[in-house]
Amino acid sequence: LSFILTAIIFVFAACNEEKKDATLSEKGELLTSVTWKYDTNASIKGTTDDIKDTTGITADIELKDDVKSIADFFTGTLRFGVDTKDPSKLSYERKYGKGIFSTSVLGFWEFGKDEKFIIMREWDDVAGKEKPPVEYEILELTKEKLVIKESDGAEHFYIPN
């Protein structure tokens, strides 16, 4: 009987345990301080620099005028923060397009080893569960720039929106 009573008290205490709000380091504060906009030209330059490194061919591509406006319209923004529904979690929103032509992806994030990586877990509405996590290496994080790299080597450049 005392075992059952102890088990009930333990379960009750575990259910009523308050979740602690997520705390952010200085790097986390910097990451969440702005909405990051995908920088199309910087990302293209990063890709062409890789081509030059591997082939020796220089490709100087820069989007301008109407083409840049169209590319900017369809590129995305990335917003990191503390989850509004559950302050013990860190969430993100990735938005593509603008206005009625936009779509959003939501998920949770955390820093990986030594805050050198961001691990992002996207929510799959169709399956009703999280997709497998994607890990990005943080190559640069300043007030003016965020550069992250996927495991396949693709680099993504962001600037404050």
Side-chain angles (χ1 to χ4, degrees), residues 9-150:
I9 291 171
F10 178 75
V11 169
F12 181 73
C15 291
N16 287 329
E17 185 179 318
E18 283 190 40
K19 293 181 182 179
K20 291 185 178 186
D21 288 355
T23 56
L24 293 169
S25 64
E26 187 177 320
K27 196 171 194 175
E29 291 288 345
L30 183 58
L31 186 66
T32 60
S33 66
V34 298
T35 297
W36 297 97
K37 180 181 175 188
Y38 188 76
D39 187 345
T40 309
N41 276 328
S43 297
I44 289 172
K45 181 169 178 7
T47 303
T48 58
D49 287 351
D50 288 344
I51 291 169
K52 182 180 178 183
D53 290 345
T54 56
T55 65
I57 298 171
T58 301
D60 190 16
I61 300 171
E62 181 180 353
L63 302 180
K64 295 180 181 179
D65 304 322
D66 290 343
V67 175
K68 181 167 179 1
S69 296
I70 292 169
D72 285 346
F73 180 83
F74 288 105
T75 58
T77 58
L78 185 54
R79 175 79 180 152
F80 295 95
V82 175
D83 192 64
T84 55
K85 293 180 182 174
D86 183 352
S88 70
K89 293 184 177 183
L90 300 171
S91 62
Y92 73 91
E93 177 186 31
R94 190 186 308 254
K95 191 179 223 179
Y96 301 96
K98 293 182 182 175
I100 62 170
F101 300 107
S102 69
T103 184
S104 292
V105 173
L106 303 173
F108 296 104
W109 71 277
E110 64 186 338
F111 280 119
K113 185 176 180 172
D114 299 326
E115 294 191 345
K116 293 180 181 176
F117 295 88
I118 301 171
I119 302 166
M120 298 171 69
R121 292 176 175 82
E122 183 180 319
W123 185 257
D124 186 340
D125 283 332
V126 176
K129 63 180 183 178
E130 286 182 353
K131 292 182 178 181
V134 178
E135 187 173 89
Y136 297 90
E137 182 180 358
I138 301 170
L139 300 179
E140 186 175 349
L141 175 58
T142 67
K143 290 179 181 179
E144 294 82 30
K145 187 190 303 185
L146 168 64
V147 183
I148 55 177
K149 182 170 82 170
E150 289 186 62

